[in-house]
Every structure is written in structure tokens, then in C-alpha cells.
Amino acid sequence: MNRNRKGLWVFTLMIVGGLLAAAKTSYAADLTIQDGRFTLHNGAMQVADPSATDGYSARMANNSTGWNIQYENWDFSELEPGQLYDVSVMVKVKHAAANPTGNAFKLGLYDSTSASYVIPEKTVAAAATSDSTWKEYRIGTFKPNASVNDIGIYIAGAANSSQVSDIYVDCIVYRKHQDYLIEDASFVKYNDASTVTDGMAADLSAGRVVNGPGSNWNLQVPIDGTRIEAGKSYRISMLVKPEMTNWTTATGDVFGYTVYDFTSNTYLINPTIVHSSALPKLLFYQNIVTAPIAPNPSHDVKICFYKVDNAANYPAFQVDSVTLAQDPSDELPHSSMQAYPYKISPADANGLNDVAKLTYTLSSSQTVSVNIYRASDHSLIRTLVSGVLQSGMNTVVWDGKNNSGQTVPNGLYTAAVSAGSADLFRTNVQVITGVSLTPAANTAKDAIPKGIFYEGLAIPNDSAGANAYLNATFGDIRQLGADTVFMANWDSKPAHVYASTLAKASANGLKIVGLPDYTSLFNEALYNDETAMYDQIGRLINPYTNSNALYGYYLRDEPENDAKLADNLKDMKRMLETLDPSRPVLMTYVGVDRVEMHYNEQKPQAMNIDPYGVTEGSGLGDFRNIYHLPGFSYESYMDFASLQPRKDIADPAPLWTILQTHNNAGWLRDPTAAEIRAMTYEAIGHGSKGFTYFMYQTEVDWEGLVDANYQRRADYYTVQALFSEIETLKPTIRNMRRTANVAAASGGGNAAYASADVTTHVDSQTGDKYLVVVNHDVTQPATMTLTIDRSQLGMDITAVQNVLDNANVAFATSGSSYTISGLPLEAGNGVILRLVKDPSLTIVEGQSASFTLYNNATNNHTDVSASDGFTAKQTITTTRGWNIQWTWNPAQLAPGATYDLYAVVKVKYAADTYVDGNGQTRFFAPSGMAFSYGVYDATTSTYPVPETTMPASQLDNMFWHTVKIGSFVPSLTHDQTVFIMPWDNPSQLKELYVDKFYMIKR
């Protein structure tokens, strides 16, 4: 082959600016490359040609097989990222013989960076051409934005000038690949098959088949042979919607289909009956994909639908459309070496595509080097690997710097894996100016949403139908007491549906959390190109940012355990917050490894989880088997989820909980009203600030708050009552901050739990403390006794109040405890009890700014959970000392008075979880000592309060503990100090924090 590349890079770089400029506006569905942008070799030239579209064409003599007419490019910013394009060339030839024989020319798509064909070369026979007549010849289908490798389209001669003397090329055309869509208007209908109007159909109409006796092919979809290629395989997708007599009980056969060649009288797909067990229960069209077929374009081939004799359950079914999608074997450029991302922006060092991971696989052990070259002149920029023996898959990272440690200028660079002087693999990396990101303030930290999950695909596509549906459902949701709607699957809808959704939400006083057409963001080309991703996000949200109903963006539901996805979600989240800093970007996390991975990577403005607690086979009120994880219960899982933001002491993200009101066959049991109530109050107790119920509509395999006919089910009224209570409790919940528990309960247990669930909280404004108590018995009322440890409570109280109704609750006082006896709670019910701090207490307080610190202990760390917003911190090492000390001001103390001295302390464990011998994930439980504490009198060299050790096992992970140092009479003249000495136990604990010390006069 003739690969004359002289002058190629100069030409390519000249056109990049224009291509990049175009990317900021819109993408071309079709793109025509005129001959003026070709590179020409071996006598090929541009000639005036009135018959060409632009008056010129490229001409070459057919006297060789050289690739004499080429178009080469590596930047396809004019084309939509991630989309398939069909590539064709407009060619005419001049016949030298009346009926030419042999071949006329060849054409193909070649990746010169990886030295491989993107699309195999095609040969056009002379007999398939017409003399001096322009004809479009299809090369194939590929993804132009799948790399920044040098992709060349070429037209080569066939060295057959005695038959075809000259070859002319007018232009190259990229057309966005369209699957072959057959709408119901083209369906052939027999007997009682009909066309019906349906707002759920994409074109607002569908074909309908009535079920009953017989199996006639009453609905037939003809395949137009001119729309398909011979010898190619096609996947058939059918959008079908069953009509059910009863959503709950309908079962059995739903419909039948087959693909039949009437010309050859053969089945391409044998008659197939679709059973209800194979279909999720949905009230909108479902996509059913068949096995691939290779129909003959010259034959009469039809996709046929037929009735089944099960009208009692499924009286009819509707077919919206049928799509034939060719699986192009040539859609991705082949490369033995991959760069991810292949566009990097190292200069800004903002964590967004700053480095490229270069991956390659060696079939045998070889001594290789990996170098980075400037693509334009192949000068060496950086050596990443030098003469190292490797085998198998290898990954090396390039950070966009040269051998001197300087960031390279923008441009195209080639990464090459070589053995000796021969390159084994090559791929390109483009260095660009990246997107400028702006950190956003947390706008969700004080919100307490009362939410409902809502199926966005259930909204009709027609304007009138959408408005009516949204009015009815949003009005019903508002009566439910919700104020926030989380839009699931808010995708593949006309633009007017998104606008109507927001308008109707606003009219009903609701806020929307959603992102229109969010699935368009999840494509490989956008992952690699931050500017294209940024532009695409802007296109999605710009029409709706002025809506007062749009509260936030719902980016992803339950992302998988995938580090690459986690990184991409982080990038999307930061771009959304830059484009619209007034709205939070939210996701829902599940599992253990996924929660930690995604939250720590993305740092969303709320930790949103769905800890569905009622599993199939569980006893009533037994919430212990969450996600089939034996080491986690509903309660401990929420503690684990809330731990992720708590580990970053400056992170204000609240915990939001999606609460179960549904079943799911094979996994979840439908909770009772008492269980829904218990899970809600336990969510409050375990720190949740947001309450969203799953879900509103009935669909898939679960029943929602309304049934398939939108009649309210019993759960609707349960949630309605809970929303009313949450509204009353909002001011308290907003100020509550979870701390280590100080109370023990008896009563209120069941077979799974020994007693009621009790958690402790402090009011960030008043200093009052709270107990959230939940009756685990969901079958009958229970009476509980609560014993509160006064030393752990760290204050005296004057009253106990039920926050919901402000009723006083009786309690008894002893030297060591407060006791609340005979607390009644209905089955599964919960209560928030306010422990009112004695306002007459004389308190002397020392915040962290007044501490004396030693041995690398530090203070003034922003801590959103600390009483004044700051803490002292000590990283645990292999040494220990009295590193955190406070010396009080004696002038603030009463002579001869006894004071109780307290410290407010928390620790961070060395790990969150561990995997036991059975491969199960469990909570990490530290051992050894956490710290010691006491009071030292330097004047007398004595301990007014003896030094005491605190076992690590007695401290929760990142919850504040009030530790009573002791009771003593402080000297007004001696040099006395209270100390905390972190223990030398780094294998068990990472850090120790101290919020404050304080004294209470007795």
C-alpha cells in the first residue's frame, strides 16, 4: 500500500480549531467532507468539475493500487460523541471499455496510529459502476469519536486503466446511523386487528390485537428490503404493551410472534409465545428483543404477531413499533492499545481527566519500553517504561508531563509500546484545555424532603395526556403530604413532557429531583472528552434551569461497583454543580462496597440510600437481613451509610432515606403499616433528615401507594399520616445531631430484637438532648422502660417531653440515672423525647481553640458536628503523650465547690468493615485502648482525678461521646490541667477528636 503521509500533520492541525469551535453549538447529523480537505498523492489532483456538488472533484488515474485520495483526521468534534455514523464516498469513474471488467477501485477506513483497519477494505467491480455518473458507495459504520487516533478514509485504484481509466471523488459523507424503525402506520392488519390512539406510544398510536381462540397472524409488519443489507444480521426490538384485566392476578400467555419469509416459506424465528413470567408488569410499552436474523432483502419477510387464548387475563395487546438494528462489526476502531481517557487536561490539575491510563496486552513475555512522542514530528516527550520485562495485561499512566516534569502544550501525542526498535502498539492522547470547575456550596444540608419516587416513563407522550396525567398524580401526591418527587426513568420523552412535568409540579407545590434524558450522558465518548460532556450536560439542563420546581438533579440510581463509573459520576456531578450551583446533584447508593466507593469519590450533597428492611421470609418486625448481608441490619446499615460523610468532619451532607412500601418477588416482602411506621422512626433515630417512599405508582413487580387504576391503597394513608408527623417534627429533626447512645431500654422487643430501638441526639442550637424510641413489636402495643446513664448524658435535665404533642413524660432521678417507666407505644410506633437541659446549671467550658496541644495534635479543624464548629485532632501513632490538655480559668470557679468534669470525644476506627472467614462483610470492632484521661496537679505532682483508660470497644465510630472525667474540687491556686492521651494503637484507631471540655458545678 502507499501511505504517503508527508504534510499530513500540518494539514490536520490547521482544521482542528474550526472543529472544536463547532462542538460548542450543535452536532451535525450529516457531515459532508468536500475534496478540498483531501490529501492527494502520486499525481492525484483537484480538478474543476461542474457535475460535482461544489464544482470540484479529486481525480486520479486508475494505473496503480495506491491510496492516492485520502481524508485523514483525528478530531471529530463536529459529530455527536458516542453515535454510530454511516460513511459513504461519492465517486464516479470514466469507462475505457464499453462493458468494463475487473475491478474499478477500492475504498476503506484505516487507523494509521494502531496500523489496523477500522472497516475492512471493500472492492467495487467495474461492472457495478456507470460511466461518468456519480454514485454513493457505502464504506461502513463506525464511531468517529471512539479515539483520537489518525483515522484515514481512502480511495485506491485497481490498476485496471484499460477498463476504467479515471476515478473521481466529490465528497465523503458521514450520516448519523439510524436503525430501521417501522411504525404502526406501516403494519398490515387482518380480522379484528386495529389501530388505536395511545399517548404512551412514541407516535401516539399503536396496532392492537384482540386475544382469544385461534392463532391467526392478525398483525404483520413488512420489512422493506431496500432498508436492509444482504448477509447482515439484525436484532429486532418490539415495543409491546399488554392490556391486563387485573394487575395483581393476570397471568399466563400474553401474545405470540414469529418472523416468516413468505417467499421461501420458512421461519426466520419460530412461533414464540410470550408468557407473563417473562415480562415485568409495566403500564407502558416494553422493549422485547429477539434473536438476530439475516433476512433476504429480495424476499417478502414479515414480523407477525398473533393472538393467544388468554383473554380472561390479557384481553388484548398493543404494538407501538418494531425496530431492526444491524450489529455493525466495524463500529469501533480496533486497537491493541487503549488510552483512557484519550483526551486529558493536565494543566488545570483539578481531578478531571488529568491523566491517561494506557493499557496494552502482551501475548508473551517481552522486554518493552513505553514512550510518549509528539505526534507532529515524533520527537520524544516522555519515557514511562524503559526496558522492563512484561507479559499479559499492563497499565501505565501518563500525567501529561515531559521528562523534565513540565506539563506539555496542548496537542496530539502518540503513546508507543516498543520492543527494541519496533513499535508493538500505538495509540494517541490529545492534551486539551479542560473545563473550569467551580465548587458548589451544599444547598441540601438543611433540607428535610418528604419525598415520593415516581415513574417518569409512565407519563404519556402527548401533550394533553401528559398534562392530565401529571395534574391527577401530582395533585394526589400533594394530598399525600409529599413535597418532593424523585423522577425515576425521566428519559426518552418529548421536550414538552419535561416542561409540563415542572409546570405541573410548580402548580401543585411540589419540587422535582430529576435530570431529563440523563441516560445520554452515559456513553464512552463523553467519558473521554470533558468538553463534550460539559456541553451535553448544558444542553440537557439549560431549558429547565429557570423552573422554580426543579429542586435538584437525579444523576444515577444505585450505581454499580465500578471504579470507572464512580469516577465518571464524580465528573458529571462536578460539572452539573458548576453549571447550576443552586441545585444539588443526587444519587441513590446501595450495598456496602458501592456506598463507600461512590460516596467517597463523588461527595454528593446528601447521602441518599434505600435500606429496604423487610425481606421475603422475614418475621414481622425483623429488619436484620438487609441486602442479604448477614453482618448488617436495617439499623446498622443506616449507621454505616451515615458514617461515610461523618468521616470527613467538614462534610455537611445529611443522610436521606428511601423507605420501603413495596414488595419485590424473590427479595422483598410487602411491609405492614406498623413496619412502615417502625422503619420511618428508626430512620429518624439513625440520623436520617430526608424521607422518601418507594413508590407512588404500581408497576414492575411491586404495588405502589396507588394501584394500577390509581386508586389509593392502604399504604397511601400510612404514609400520609407519617408525612403529617414528619412535618410537625421537622424543626426538631433539622437540629438533631446523632451522638453515642446513653440510654438502655427494656420492653418493645420481638423475636429479632431484645428491646425497643433507642438512639441519642443533641440539639445543635439549645444543647437539649433527645431519645428516639421505636417499638420493635409491630404486632401489638408495648410498654417500655428507659434508663439513661447520667454520666454519659453529661447534663442535668428538668423535663422530658414528647416532641410530637409537647406532652410531658414522667421520669425518676437517681444518683447515676434517669428512668422513664411505663412509656407506651403502639405497634411499630416511634417517639422523639426531648430531654430538657437544666437552665440553672453553672457550666465552665473550654472549646478546642483554648486547648494546649503537643506532639502534632492540632486544633481549629472545621467540624460540622462540633458544638462550635471546630475540633482538636490527634492522628494515632505508635507513641503516646498528654497531647490534648485544657487548663481552666480559676476565676470562673466557685471556691470550694465540687465540679463534674466532662470531655466530648470521638474516634475514627482504623477500618469501617472487614471480611470474615466466610467471606462476609462485617463491621470492624476495634480492640485495645483508645485513650486515657485524668486531671493532673503540677503544683503538688498529684492526680485530683486519677488517670483512667478508655477501651476502644466502648466508643462508636465517629459519634461524639460525653466522657465523665470525674468529680473533684478544683484548686483556685494550683496549676491543674485535664488531659487526654491518645493511645499508641494505630492498627485499631486512626484519629481522635476532642470538641470541648466542660465543668458543671454541683
Side-chain angles (χ1 to χ4, degrees):
M1 70 185 71
N2 179 3
R3 292 292 287 158
N4 186 339
R5 299 176 52 80
K6 184 177 180 182
L8 168 65
W9 293 112
V10 174
F11 173 78
T12 302
L13 292 171
M14 287 173 60
I15 66 172
V16 169
L19 293 175
L20 292 177
K24 297 296 183 183
T25 53
S26 61
Y27 298 119
D30 293 345
L31 177 65
T32 299
I33 307 297
Q34 295 289 352
D35 53 278
R37 296 170 69 176
F38 298 170
T39 51
L40 307 174
H41 308 283
N42 300 322
M45 65 182 68
Q46 187 181 49
V47 296
D49 189 339
S51 69
T53 54
D54 64 344
Y56 294 89
S57 64
R59 173 196 171 276
M60 67 178 178
N62 193 8
N63 55 11
S64 74
T65 58
W67 295 5
N68 295 335
I69 298 177
Q70 302 176 26
Y71 169 66
E72 302 185 69
N73 193 16
W74 51 266
D75 190 298
F76 292 92
S77 299
E78 290 169 289
L79 302 176
E80 186 172 348
Q83 292 297 324
L84 289 170
Y85 280 81
D86 296 324
V87 185
S88 301
V89 182
M90 190 67 72
V91 181
K92 72 176 179 181
V93 299
K94 184 176 180 181
H95 289 180
N99 295 296
T101 60
N103 294 326
F105 59 90
K106 299 178 181 181
L107 63 169
L109 205 68
Y110 188 78
D111 183 339
S112 63
T113 304
S114 64
S116 60
Y117 282 94
V118 178
I119 300 175
E121 184 175 77
K122 294 186 176 181
T123 300
V124 177
T129 64
S130 299
D131 187 29
S132 301
T133 302
W134 289 110
K135 185 175 179 181
E136 187 172 319
Y137 297 89
R138 182 176 180 273
I139 299 177
T141 303
F142 86 120
K143 287 183 179 177
N145 288 286
S147 72
V148 287
N149 282 3
D150 175 22
I151 305 296
I153 297 172
Y154 67 87
I155 297 88
N160 190 19
S161 59
S162 66
Q163 302 295 308
V164 175
S165 61
D166 297 280
I167 302 165
Y168 299 82
V169 181
D170 179 14
C171 58
I172 295 168
V173 180
Y174 293 91
R175 288 192 178 88
K176 189 173 178 180
H177 180 75
Q178 300 291 336
D179 291 334
Y180 175 21
L181 174 66
I182 309 172
E183 287 285 6
D184 59 278
S186 300
F187 296 175
V188 180
K189 305 170 187 69
Y190 298 96
N191 301 319
D192 53 3
S194 61
T195 299
V196 294
T197 300
D198 187 352
M200 295 305 299
D203 63 344
L204 309 183
S205 65
R208 183 176 186 267
V209 176
V210 177
N211 276 327
S215 57
N216 293 336
W217 300 354
N218 288 343
L219 189 66
Q220 299 182 16
V221 182
I223 296 175
D224 181 353
T226 65
R227 299 290 304 275
I228 60 175
E229 294 184 63
K232 295 289 187 178
S233 292
Y234 291 84
R235 290 171 289 114
I236 300 177
S237 300
M238 308 174 292
L239 287 176
V240 182
K241 183 176 71 171
E243 297 179 12
M244 292 175 277
T245 53
N246 185 288
W247 189 91
T248 305
T249 62
T251 187
D253 295 342
V254 181
F255 69 95
Y257 70 89
T258 186
V259 181
Y260 193 72
D261 186 326
F262 287 84
T263 303
S264 62
N265 294 319
T266 56
Y267 287 102
L268 301 184
I269 293 180
N270 289 325
T272 303
I273 291 177
V274 178
H275 191 271
S276 59
S277 61
L279 295 175
K281 290 183 177 179
L282 297 172
L283 300 179
F284 43 86
Y285 286 90
Q286 302 173 53
N287 192 29
I288 299 168
V289 181
T290 74
I293 63 170
N296 188 324
S298 64
H299 286 195
D300 178 14
V301 179
K302 293 185 175 70
I303 303 151
C304 305
F305 296 89
Y306 58 91
K307 62 173 64 179
V308 294
D309 192 8
N310 191 19
N313 288 286
Y314 297 96
F317 63 92
Q318 296 174 198
V319 183
D320 177 15
S321 62
V322 173
T323 301
L324 276 71
Q326 185 186 130
D327 281 325
S329 59
D330 49 18
E331 68 179 57
L332 286 172
H334 168 75
S335 177
S336 300
M337 182 180 184
Q338 299 291 335
Y340 177 77
Y342 49 73
K343 292 186 179 184
I344 63 173
S345 56
D348 53 29
N350 63 358
L352 179 61
N353 291 358
D354 290 338
V355 303
K357 293 181 180 179
L358 308 170
T359 303
Y360 53 94
T361 300
L362 300 168
S363 58
S364 61
S365 295
Q366 298 184 65
T367 299
V368 302
S369 297
V370 181
N371 293 299
I372 305 295
Y373 301 93
R374 185 182 294 112
S376 59
D377 58 10
H378 208 62
S379 59
L380 179 64
I381 297 297
R382 177 80 174 273
T383 297
L384 300 173
V385 175
S386 179
V388 175
L389 184 65
Q390 294 181 338
S391 63
M393 180 176 287
N394 298 272
T395 299
V396 62
V397 174
W398 182 43
D399 58 5
K401 294 181 180 178
N402 60 23
N403 281 327
S404 299
Q406 301 167 320
T407 300
V408 300
N410 288 358
L412 193 68
Y413 297 83
T414 299
V417 179
S418 60
S421 60
D423 284 352
L424 301 177
F425 313 117
R426 290 185 298 169
T427 193
N428 285 349
V429 177
Q430 185 184 358
V431 176
I432 64 174
T433 299
V435 172
S436 180
L437 299 176
T438 304
N442 190 311
T443 59
K445 59 186 174 65
D446 295 320
I448 302 181
K450 297 183 301 176
I452 195 76
F453 251 80
Y454 185 98
E455 178 52 70
L457 279 177
I459 305 171
N461 293 314
D462 64 307
S463 180
N467 287 331
Y469 181 84
L470 290 164
N471 264 334
T473 54
F474 282 3
D476 193 46
I477 288 170
R478 188 59 188 172
Q479 290 181 43
L480 176 69
D483 54 31
T484 306
V485 177
F486 284 77
M487 299 299 297
N489 303 314
W490 206 28
D491 194 49
S492 304
K493 292 291 180 183
H496 70 80
V497 168
Y498 303 123
S500 293
T501 303
L502 293 169
K504 297 305 179 184
S506 179
N508 285 281
L510 298 173
K511 298 294 184 183
I512 296 294
V513 178
L515 180 57
D517 277 331
Y518 68 99
T519 56
S520 67
L521 298 177
F522 295 92
N523 89 53
E524 193 66 29
L526 293 182
Y527 296 160
N528 284 274
D529 189 338
E530 63 190 84
T531 57
M533 176 69 82
Y534 189 81
D535 290 346
Q536 176 64 7
I537 291 173
R539 275 186 284 272
L540 294 185
I541 69 171
N542 284 343
Y544 312 109
T545 53
N546 289 331
S547 171
N548 63 0
L550 183 59
Y551 173 76
Y553 299 108
Y554 196 62
L555 183 55
R556 184 81 171 201
D557 187 72
E558 300 183 356
E560 303 87 338
N561 186 354
D562 182 331
K564 182 177 176 181
L565 174 62
D567 180 63
N568 289 320
L569 288 170
K570 173 204 68 178
D571 295 345
M572 296 177 205
K573 177 251 186 188
R574 295 173 70 197
M575 290 180 188
L576 275 162
E577 289 179 340
T578 296
L579 287 162
D580 189 356
S582 65
R583 294 181 171 94
V585 180
L586 303 169
M587 286 161 273
T588 299
Y589 301 132
V590 296
V592 174
D593 48 358
R594 287 191 275 172
V595 163
E596 187 169 16
M597 168 198 288
H598 284 284
Y599 186 85
N600 292 339
E601 185 76 15
Q602 292 134 29
K603 291 296 180 73
Q605 294 189 25
M607 166 61 89
N608 197 37
I609 59 169
D610 50 3
Y612 302 141
V614 181
T615 56
E616 276 192 353
S618 63
L620 291 174
D622 184 352
F623 306 151
R624 294 176 299 173
N625 297 313
I626 188 168
Y627 296 124
H628 309 291
L629 297 170
F632 290 82
S633 65
Y634 175 77
E635 300 84 2
S636 63
Y637 183 77
M638 282 188 287
D639 292 344
F640 171 78
S642 72
L643 172 63
Q644 305 315 309
R646 283 188 283 114
K647 286 190 299 186
D648 179 353
I649 61 174
D651 187 352
L655 175 68
W656 290 358
T657 307
I658 301 170
L659 295 149
Q660 178 186 348
T661 59
H662 69 292
N663 68 317
N664 195 321
W667 175 30
L668 299 175
R669 170 175 61 77
D670 202 13
T672 67
E675 286 178 314
I676 295 171
R677 178 167 286 277
M679 286 188 288
T680 300
Y681 271 92
E682 285 198 20
I684 295 173
H686 289 266
S688 186
K689 306 289 188 182
F691 310 91
T692 299
Y693 292 87
F694 191 94
M695 67 173 297
Y696 177 67
Q697 296 105 320
T698 285
E699 62 152 27
V700 190
D701 292 316
W702 50 72
E703 291 183 284
L705 299 187
V706 296
D707 66 18
N709 297 311
Y710 291 85
Q711 300 303 303
R712 296 173 179 176
R713 297 178 62 244
D715 287 353
Y716 181 100
Y717 301 101
T718 299
V719 173
Q720 188 176 52
L722 286 166
F723 274 152
S724 177
E725 293 169 32
I726 291 169
E727 185 63 31
T728 301
L729 296 171
K730 264 187 179 182
T732 298
I733 293 172
R734 183 174 287 113
N735 292 334
M736 282 169 52
R737 187 181 71 242
R738 175 91 182 276
T739 64
N741 192 33
V742 303
S746 62
N750 60 20
Y753 301 91
S755 61
D757 189 73
V758 183
T759 53
T760 305
H761 308 253
V762 64
D763 190 306
S764 60
Q765 302 297 315
T766 68
D768 290 344
K769 294 192 176 180
Y770 301 94
L771 300 180
V772 180
V773 187
V774 184
N775 180 12
H776 268 136
D777 191 335
V778 298
T779 62
Q780 59 186 350
T783 301
M784 277 134 279
T785 296
L786 306 176
T787 303
I788 304 167
D789 187 316
R790 293 185 67 182
S791 66
Q792 295 181 46
L793 184 64
M795 68 181 195
D796 297 341
I797 64 175
T798 58
V800 177
Q801 296 173 334
N802 183 330
V803 174
L804 189 62
D805 59 12
N806 291 318
N808 287 320
V809 177
F811 68 98
T813 304
S814 69
S816 61
S817 64
Y818 295 111
T819 304
I820 301 171
S821 302
L823 178 68
L825 285 177
E826 293 297 320
N829 202 18
V831 65
I832 302 178
L833 301 178
R834 177 186 287 113
L835 309 181
V836 181
K837 183 171 68 174
D838 184 349
S840 67
L841 294 175
T842 299
I843 300 176
V844 177
E845 184 176 270
Q847 291 286 354
S848 60
S850 65
F851 296 173
T852 302
L853 304 173
Y854 299 95
N855 299 323
N856 298 315
T858 53
N859 62 9
N860 294 323
H861 295 279
T862 298
D863 188 332
V864 296
S865 67
S867 56
D868 68 341
F870 299 95
T871 67
K873 170 186 170 183
Q874 171 70 63
T875 300
I876 305 301
T877 66
T878 56
T879 61
R880 62 177 187 259
W882 293 359
N883 296 347
I884 300 175
Q885 302 179 25
W886 175 56
T887 302
W888 51 87
N889 181 0
Q892 295 180 285
L893 305 179
T898 298
Y899 284 83
D900 293 336
L901 175 60
Y902 296 90
V904 180
V905 182
K906 67 182 174 184
V907 295
K908 181 185 290 186
Y909 291 177
D912 299 347
T913 59
Y914 73 99
V915 178
D916 67 14
N918 296 317
Q920 299 294 340
T921 302
R922 306 275 181 181
F923 270 114
F924 180 77
S927 59
M929 292 299 151
F931 56 88
S932 64
Y933 56 88
V935 176
Y936 182 70
D937 189 320
T939 304
T940 62
S941 299
T942 61
Y943 289 88
V945 177
E947 184 172 8
T948 304
T949 56
M950 172 64 73
S953 60
Q954 294 185 19
L955 299 172
D956 296 304
N957 196 1
M958 293 301 285
F959 279 133
W960 289 113
H961 288 253
T962 299
V963 177
K964 187 173 183 180
I965 305 293
S967 299
F968 73 114
V969 178
S971 170
L972 302 187
T973 58
H974 290 189
D975 180 9
Q976 294 180 331
T977 187
V978 60
F979 65 87
I980 286 184
M981 179 170 68
W983 216 255
D984 52 346
N985 194 12
S987 67
Q988 303 297 307
L989 301 176
K990 284 184 179 179
E991 292 160 352
L992 178 143
Y993 299 87
V994 181
D995 176 12
K996 64 180 179 180
F997 294 96
Y998 66 96
M999 294 180 174
I1000 297 180
K1001 180 176 174 292
R1002 288 292 133 212

